[in-house]
Amino acid sequence: MQYDATSPEDYISQVPEERQDTLKKLRKVIKDNLPTGFEEGMQYKMIGYYVPHSVYPDGYHCDPKTPLPFMSFASQKNSVNLYHMGIYAKKELLDWFVGEYPKHCKRKLDMGKSCIRFKKMDEIPFELIGELTKKMSGEEWINIYESTLKKK
């Protein structure tokens, strides 16, 4: 589902009430572990974490007016989805996450290229998400991002 929110607080206030505490906790875990070089705001109608233009003036190559995306999360119809571009772009990080996930959650990992879907709100591995959040600095993300652009 998409919400026309102007801020993370506004977004959370619009989701179904039974999900609001979960999203508040997820937001806190991410913010508490977010390395320097990233900012929080709204991107793509989700709560996003990105490299601001003050750090990376070039922005996102698809739309240079958009700050370089990194992480985001959204409340969808049947799940809460966490998007993390680092696990899509860095195989070692993906391998680490896939290996750690079963230590934190009994449910099978439901994942796409950069999307991790959580269908049971009480089974979101917040501690693991905190660890994942702090594993990549803004500088490292910029370097990985730029290296992928050079390959094209």
Side-chain angles (χ1 to χ4, degrees):
M1 297 187 69
Q2 289 190 356
Y3 301 93
D4 286 319
T6 58
S7 69
E9 296 83 5
D10 185 28
Y11 182 93
I12 291 171
S13 75
Q14 292 182 39
V15 303
E17 193 172 331
E18 63 272 10
R19 288 198 182 173
Q20 289 181 9
D21 286 342
T22 299
L23 293 187
K24 286 176 186 175
K25 185 173 181 179
L26 182 57
R27 180 180 179 218
K28 180 172 177 21
V29 164
I30 293 170
K31 285 179 68 173
D32 287 352
N33 290 283
L34 195 65
T36 58
F38 296 108
E39 282 184 7
E40 178 190 59
M42 297 302 297
Q43 261 191 336
Y44 307 105
K45 298 189 179 249
M46 298 181 280
I47 297 175
Y49 302 88
Y50 47 81
V51 180
H53 284 110
S54 61
V55 174
Y56 189 68
D58 291 350
Y60 186 42
H61 74 280
C62 294
D63 179 6
K65 291 179 272 179
T66 300
L68 180 60
F70 178 62
M71 280 181 79
S72 58
F73 65 89
S75 178
Q76 301 295 345
K77 182 178 180 182
N78 296 314
S79 60
V80 167
N81 295 353
L82 175 70
Y83 303 87
H84 191 289
M85 294 307 296
I87 58 176
Y88 176 67
K90 185 176 178 183
K91 185 173 180 345
E92 299 87 357
L93 187 57
L94 171 64
D95 292 344
W96 170 83
F97 184 80
V98 170
E100 287 296 310
Y101 186 86
K103 299 174 187 175
H104 296 265
C105 194
K106 297 174 194 138
R107 193 166 299 279
K108 180 182 175 206
L109 179 59
D110 184 358
M111 185 174 175
K113 290 182 178 181
S114 71
C115 174
I116 307 159
R117 291 174 284 277
F118 301 104
K119 293 184 177 148
K120 301 286 185 186
M121 301 304 105
D122 58 341
E123 294 183 14
I124 295 176
F126 293 104
E127 184 179 322
L128 179 62
I129 292 168
E131 290 177 45
L132 174 64
T133 301
K134 61 184 166 185
K135 287 228 175 251
M136 187 174 286
S137 68
E139 184 178 342
E140 182 182 8
W141 174 232
I142 291 168
N143 291 336
I144 289 171
Y145 173 74
E146 286 184 340
S147 74
T148 62
L149 292 178
K150 290 175 186 171
K151 292 178 184 176
K152 293 182 177 184

